Amino acid sequence: REATTITTQVIDIDHVSGELGERAIDALMGEIAARATNGVVALRDGRRWVSELQPITLPPAAISPWRHGGCYLITGGLGGIGLSIAEHIAASVTAPTIVLAGRSGLPAESSWDVLVADPGTDALTRLRIEAVRRMRAAGATVVLERADVSQRADIDALVQRVTSAAGSIHGVVHAAGVLDDVLIALRPTNPRSPVVDTKLLGALHLVDALSGSGTEFIVLCSSVSTYLGLPGDHLLDEGEVAGDLLGERLQHLDRDPCPSIVSGFERLNHV
């Protein structure tokens, strides 16, 4: 995507030998010669399959994942994805406790009336304050916490504070994210990145801190960028692909359910 003079393609072929193997090789050479624009192709039994993304509308869940009176921790809670999920929880069940955790917070609540009334208040601060107020008006207990998910000590302390106050954490949504687009050719030599650390280390710290606690699920939010390979997003892709693999690994180990939610950029506007 970033090297416009280079064309790449993944071609998956059958593991066959003899005459069938020769046909598979012929099909492979034909695919290469055709210079097709499909990024991922599978050649199976004489058929050509391509990988593509299509929108899908899911039916309503038969059983809600949210409990009445449940406690839910959302990292990146004041971001666009986090607030959208938090407001959904508040509208879906009665008296939930919703913990919105992140590196940035909100001004002191005593100043909220003045800030909302002030036309000079930035739109993002106003949006966050109004969202928290809507959830509380719906009957939710909304708690604002500061924590850097890439730091294990912060996560341990956060989980301790929440469980001490609420008794238990029924579910976690890891929606924290850092955007720092940079082309691979311009990437700093420092192998560490806050983009990857927030996604991957944050997920690992949460899983470890909540192990054996009875938490019913951990949702790891991902992005369609991992499939599209958008220019400048390789750091984000690294962290989210690793998070996706972590979720799959936990499921195979019969650990707590760990679904991965793919979100488009329309929900990243306030992260």
Side-chain angles (χ1 to χ4, degrees):
R1 296 280 184 170
E2 297 181 11
T4 57
T5 59
I6 301 175
T7 300
T8 61
Q9 187 178 25
V10 176
I11 305 173
D12 193 352
I13 63 174
D14 288 319
H15 293 282
V16 294
S17 59
E19 183 178 349
L20 291 177
E22 292 179 1
R23 291 179 183 177
I25 293 174
D26 290 341
L28 173 62
M29 298 307 295
E31 187 70 36
I32 295 173
R35 296 183 178 274
T37 57
N38 303 106
V40 180
V41 174
L43 304 176
R44 292 285 185 274
D45 298 324
R47 295 185 178 184
R48 181 178 184 271
W49 303 86
V50 298
S51 175
E52 62 181 17
L53 295 175
Q54 294 184 348
I56 183 173
T57 300
L58 297 175
I63 301 176
S64 173
W66 321 115
R67 289 170 170 255
H68 295 290
C71 176
Y72 300 98
L73 168 63
I74 304 176
T75 67
L78 291 175
I81 297 173
L83 281 178
S84 295
I85 295 174
E87 290 206 74
H88 170 73
I89 296 172
S92 300
V93 293
T94 58
T97 296
I98 304 172
V99 181
L100 306 178
R103 293 176 302 166
S104 61
L106 286 175
E109 290 193 37
S110 59
S111 67
W112 285 8
D113 286 340
V114 174
L115 290 171
V116 170
D118 185 355
T121 300
D122 69 276
L124 183 54
T125 298
R126 185 191 308 276
L127 179 149
R128 289 170 169 171
I129 292 173
E130 291 175 345
V132 171
R133 285 182 161 177
R134 283 195 300 271
M135 288 185 279
R136 287 176 174 171
T141 298
V142 181
V143 181
L144 304 177
E145 288 278 1
R146 285 182 181 266
D148 182 346
V149 296
S150 68
Q151 301 299 314
R152 177 60 190 268
D154 277 22
I155 292 298
D156 287 342
L158 172 63
V159 169
Q160 178 62 40
R161 289 195 300 272
V162 175
T163 53
S164 295
S168 60
I169 299 174
H170 295 102
V172 176
V173 178
H174 181 36
V178 174
L179 294 180
D180 185 20
D181 291 356
V182 59
L183 298 178
I184 294 176
L186 301 178
R187 179 175 178 174
T189 55
N190 183 358
R192 297 292 298 273
S193 165
V195 179
V196 177
D197 288 353
T198 299
K199 281 295 180 184
L200 181 56
L201 289 183
L204 290 170
H205 295 334
L206 286 166
V207 169
D208 287 343
L210 293 165
S211 179
S213 67
T215 297
E216 296 168 355
F217 62 82
I218 301 176
V219 175
L220 306 180
C221 293
S222 187
S223 168
V224 293
S225 177
T226 58
Y227 295 93
L228 299 178
L230 300 178
D233 277 346
H234 65 281
L235 292 173
L236 180 66
D237 295 344
E238 289 174 17
E240 292 185 337
V241 168
D244 292 345
L245 294 174
L246 172 63
E248 293 180 9
R249 179 62 175 167
L250 291 175
Q251 290 177 322
H252 292 158
L253 291 174
D254 294 325
R255 295 282 293 276
D256 295 340
C258 193
S260 178
I261 305 299
V262 178
S263 174
F265 285 103
E266 70 277 3
R267 288 298 184 186
L268 290 178
N269 54 338
H270 299 304
V271 170

